[in-house]
Amino acid sequence: MGNRGMEELIPLVNQLQDAFSSIGQNANLDLPQIAVVGGQSAGKSSVLENFVGKDFLPRGSGIVTRRPLVLQLINCPTEYAEFLQCKGKKFTDFDEVRQEIEAETDRVTGHNKGISPVPINLRVYSPNVLNLTLVDLPGMTKVPVGDQPADIEHQIRDMLMQFVTKDNCLLLAVSPANSDLANSDALKIAKEVDPQGLRTIGVITKLDLMDEGTDARDILENKLLPLRRGYIGVVNRSQKDIDGKKDITAALQAERKFFLSHPAYRHLADRMGTAYLQKVLNQQLTNHIRDTLPGLRSKLQSQLLSIEKEVEEYKNFRPDDPSRKTKALLQMVQQFAVDFEKRIEGSGDQVDTYELSGGAKINRVFHERFPFELVKLESDEKTLRKEISYAIKNIHGIRTGLFTPDMAFETIVKRQIAQLKEPCQKCVDLVISELVNTVRQCTNK
């Protein structure tokens, strides 16, 4: 590219990526990177291996990539690989790199076909590569295989979304040419997260496996489903070539020959193939980093300032300071009040699905238990009328009154209301015991 400063941009982001990965904060920062997406067996791994010129990725049928692989390619006179989790160990045998990826995957996901969003960071130093950082993501799948969970499709989709929804992430959408592009998983997800097609780079694999008489010329000329950054065609090694340990250098020469000799792609030959793809990705990622760096810098600075502020607070932290203790106590009381309110109001974080608790139980006491107790209070109308008659006569004494005296009414009503006292007290006791229970649950924290 000529500009030395520009070439330093990708290694700079690599250092940031390593730093955030090692402290487990990778997901919080939107680092400029290229995510490789595509359906299962679309040829993502082959494309990455062709960049490096070595077989180093796990292969097989079904879901092979089960954790994101952050692959950092660094141009260097000597050839070796390093893992972030094996600091200081240089791998010169790329078969060992594959074994380490498999072992590291199993360590987090287990030996079954489960997946994990925790990335593996691999650095490859080689004279054959251009500075480039790619995130190889698991291939999209539809049907669970073996002991995979039933929702494997959603799990993979959620993991992809963690990467591809970020504005600073370019998408390398890998689609095989021997299936209809309209059904491409990679382009479907790219269309969803990048409807304008500004961040998507299309890669068409398996051009040599298309039916005779058909070609992908319209796609590669960016006419069929146009993308702002266009499409690049590549021809990977077949499974037979891989099993027969066909040399990648020879495969790249065969790829070049394929494009130069194919009548439909001859005029595009200079803009096709793995070497051109690597060059384009290097330029696009560098330009992308250059564009996003100012925003990234200000975001990092603001994060740094807030962390420094926090650190400053802890520098003078004295646990025995009475003001600290008062503050801690107030915070605990405040938290307790919030928890208590949530349990009574019914908007708690954890909803009990086995029994009624808190506000719901109190509600039940008022609307079910209390009315039931009131209904049990039976009143004999005949006796009541007799009592009213005696009360009126006794209050009049020797006089015969024209109107019913108030005192008679009060006397009778007071006696009736006295009967309500017991159910009301019962209701209050039940509510109090539930409130005490709720307080006890809140203090468990």
Side-chain angles (χ1 to χ4, degrees):
M1 287 188 318
N3 187 337
R4 187 78 197 130
M6 288 285 278
E7 284 183 24
E8 291 301 319
L9 285 178
I10 295 175
L12 175 75
V13 173
N14 286 349
Q15 287 175 330
L16 279 174
Q17 208 146 25
D18 284 356
F20 284 107
S21 289
S22 57
I23 57 169
Q25 285 291 317
N26 205 13
N28 294 357
L29 205 74
D30 189 0
L31 289 173
Q33 55 192 14
I34 300 177
V36 186
V37 292
Q40 251 181 46
S41 308
K44 301 188 300 298
S45 297
S46 296
V47 170
L48 299 182
E49 285 186 337
N50 287 355
F51 285 167
V52 178
K54 297 279 180 194
D55 291 319
F56 67 96
L57 291 171
R59 290 186 170 278
S61 59
I63 182 166
V64 181
T65 309
R66 304 204 316 265
R67 282 176 63 183
L69 175 75
V70 179
L71 178 64
Q72 301 171 349
L73 306 179
I74 294 155
N75 187 275
C76 174
T78 52
E79 192 171 58
Y80 63 94
E82 274 181 352
F83 284 94
L84 190 63
Q85 75 265 14
C86 309
K87 270 270 166 54
K89 185 178 179 186
K90 292 184 179 180
F91 292 81
T92 48
D93 180 355
F94 281 80
D95 283 336
E96 281 182 27
V97 173
R98 184 190 302 116
Q99 287 159 14
E100 178 59 34
I101 292 174
E102 286 171 350
E104 182 61 18
T105 301
D106 288 345
R107 192 176 65 76
V108 172
T109 62
H111 290 280
N112 60 8
K113 300 280 185 181
I115 62 165
S116 163
V118 182
I120 299 173
N121 284 54
L122 170 64
R123 258 185 193 180
V124 176
Y125 297 83
S126 166
N128 309 320
V129 301
L130 295 174
N131 288 347
L132 196 53
T133 303
L134 299 145
V135 184
D136 186 18
L137 295 166
M140 282 165 268
T141 182
K142 299 274 188 296
V143 184
V145 179
D147 47 11
Q148 281 176 0
D151 64 340
I152 188 80
E153 182 184 355
H154 299 295
Q155 282 190 26
I156 292 178
R157 191 185 158 78
D158 290 346
M159 188 201 296
L160 296 185
M161 286 301 181
Q162 285 181 25
F163 288 87
V164 299
T165 46
K166 294 179 179 171
D167 291 338
N168 285 354
C169 179
L170 296 180
L171 300 179
L172 193 66
V174 181
S175 311
N178 58 352
S179 68
D180 190 348
L181 202 63
N183 297 328
S184 161
D185 291 318
L187 288 176
K188 185 184 172 198
I189 211 158
K191 195 89 183 140
E192 206 174 304
V193 296
D194 177 31
Q196 306 295 314
L198 303 175
R199 299 189 279 130
T200 309
I201 304 158
V203 175
I204 306 295
T205 59
K206 306 191 181 183
L207 288 164
D208 53 331
L209 300 181
M210 293 185 80
D211 290 343
E212 274 188 47
T214 61
D215 61 57
R217 182 172 169 171
D218 282 352
I219 302 166
L220 296 175
E221 287 179 348
N222 209 14
K223 288 176 184 170
L224 189 62
L225 287 168
L227 292 174
R228 188 69 59 91
R229 295 172 189 259
Y231 291 87
I232 296 166
V234 294
V235 176
N236 298 324
R237 293 172 301 162
S238 66
Q239 193 58 47
K240 187 182 171 189
D241 292 340
I242 294 162
D243 295 341
K245 297 268 188 270
K246 181 176 179 180
D247 183 41
I248 290 183
T249 317
L252 292 177
Q253 286 169 351
E255 177 190 55
R256 179 98 185 111
K257 191 176 168 191
F258 170 83
F259 283 117
L260 285 169
S261 59
H262 197 292
Y265 312 131
R266 203 179 290 149
H267 67 297
L268 296 167
D270 290 340
R271 289 186 283 122
M272 295 290 129
T274 303
Y276 179 74
L277 175 62
Q278 191 174 195
K279 199 165 115 193
V280 165
L281 292 182
N282 170 273
Q283 285 171 351
Q284 302 243 20
L285 183 59
T286 304
N287 294 341
H288 185 55
I289 293 171
R290 184 194 62 202
D291 297 341
T292 55
L293 215 51
L296 189 68
R297 188 174 172 215
S298 62
K299 193 175 176 183
L300 269 174
Q301 279 177 332
S302 67
Q303 281 192 6
L304 194 64
L305 276 171
S306 68
I307 288 170
E308 279 174 352
K309 232 182 201 172
E310 224 173 295
V311 168
E312 206 56 47
E313 262 188 51
Y314 285 110
K315 270 185 188 170
N316 309 316
F317 183 78
R318 294 200 308 281
D320 297 331
D321 184 359
S323 66
R324 279 271 166 210
K325 287 181 177 176
T326 311
K327 191 178 175 187
L329 182 65
L330 283 171
Q331 280 176 339
M332 282 158 73
V333 169
Q334 209 173 356
Q335 186 58 49
F336 170 79
V338 169
D339 286 350
F340 183 77
E341 193 178 341
K342 275 184 177 176
R343 282 179 185 275
I344 298 299
E345 292 291 329
S347 58
D349 307 326
Q350 292 163 332
V351 178
D352 193 344
T353 54
Y354 297 104
E355 61 174 1
L356 290 181
S357 62
K361 217 164 186 178
I362 293 169
N363 186 19
R364 189 183 182 178
V365 168
F366 277 119
H367 290 96
E368 288 181 27
R369 287 293 296 273
F370 187 48
F372 176 67
E373 294 292 335
L374 293 180
V375 169
K376 281 202 302 189
L377 296 176
E378 286 182 356
S379 179
D380 180 11
E381 196 179 331
K382 199 175 175 186
T383 313
L384 188 60
R385 282 186 183 279
K386 210 172 181 181
E387 284 176 9
I388 293 168
S389 165
Y390 284 141
I392 292 169
K393 284 172 182 168
N394 284 333
I395 285 163
H396 280 150
I398 57 166
R399 298 180 303 281
T400 48
L402 188 61
F403 300 106
T404 307
D406 289 349
M407 271 181 74
F409 174 74
E410 279 180 31
T411 308
I412 297 295
V413 167
K414 274 179 184 171
R415 285 186 58 192
Q416 291 297 320
I417 288 175
Q419 286 183 293
L420 296 175
K421 189 177 176 184
E422 198 186 330
C424 288
Q425 281 182 329
K426 214 174 190 179
C427 173
V428 169
D429 289 343
L430 285 169
V431 170
I432 286 172
S433 75
E434 188 47 43
L435 287 173
V436 169
N437 200 19
T438 305
V439 168
R440 198 173 288 124
Q441 285 175 331
C442 291
T443 52
N444 281 345
K445 279 190 178 180

